[in-house]
Amino acid sequence: MTAQVNGAYNRLGWLLNDVAKMPEVRFVVLLSGDGMRIAHSESVDRDTADTVASAASGFHSIGVALSPYCGGGDNGLRQVVGEFDDGFLFVKTAGMNTLLAVSTTELVDAQVVTYRMNGLAERVGEELTSPARLQGGEGGARP
């Protein structure tokens, strides 16, 4: 199963390509909090992006579960990083119920990637934000 945003396959993929083209970055996946791929960079195929989206959501959930033990009950999670023999996986919040996953080689400059992910998260948030519905409009008031 794949997530679609406004009915368009990979509509926001273009937005991810700037970070994906950085030195030592393998690919970028934008996903929903429940693990559905929203978009992916050109440098990764759809099946891999779907798999990474699912796993990255679980990885983020582990971070959320551990956050109270890293400073208190209201300690919000910003990012989780997995370090592997051949690289890193960065998973960052990118808006309401949206995450950004970036896969890199082991040679990446983590500080630069994190900085660029922060900027991308802001841009993604702007693209995914829709205006609130007015009550009493088409379809009636919502409970």
Side-chain angles (χ1 to χ4, degrees):
M1 180 178 232
T2 60
Q4 292 186 354
V5 178
N6 291 343
Y9 166 73
N10 206 30
R11 178 177 75 84
L12 295 176
W14 65 271
L15 194 60
L16 309 179
N17 288 327
D18 285 344
V19 171
K21 291 177 181 175
M22 288 178 55
E24 307 304 329
V25 171
R26 291 187 174 108
F27 59 83
V28 181
V29 178
L30 180 66
L31 58 135
S32 65
D34 61 356
M36 300 301 294
R37 177 190 46 80
I38 296 171
H40 59 279
S41 62
E42 295 171 348
S43 52
V44 65
D45 64 86
R46 184 176 179 172
D47 289 341
T48 300
D50 284 339
T51 301
V52 169
S54 178
S57 173
F59 185 43
H60 183 264
S61 293
I62 292 169
V64 169
L66 291 172
S67 66
Y69 306 103
C70 298
D74 293 333
N75 192 20
L77 177 67
R78 295 183 192 151
Q79 175 176 279
V80 290
V81 180
E83 181 178 1
F84 305 92
D85 290 340
D86 294 327
F88 295 91
L89 180 69
F90 299 83
V91 181
K92 175 179 184 25
T93 55
M96 182 69 89
N97 197 35
T98 308
L99 303 171
L100 189 60
V102 177
S103 174
T104 71
T105 72
E106 71 278 8
L107 301 175
V108 75
D109 184 334
Q111 187 174 9
V112 173
V113 168
T114 300
Y115 176 79
R116 294 287 300 274
M117 285 178 73
N118 287 335
L120 180 56
E122 287 181 26
R123 290 177 59 198
V124 164
E126 291 169 6
E127 289 292 327
L128 292 177
T129 300
S130 59
R133 295 182 196 211
L134 299 176
Q135 286 200 358
E138 186 176 324
R142 298 201 177 253

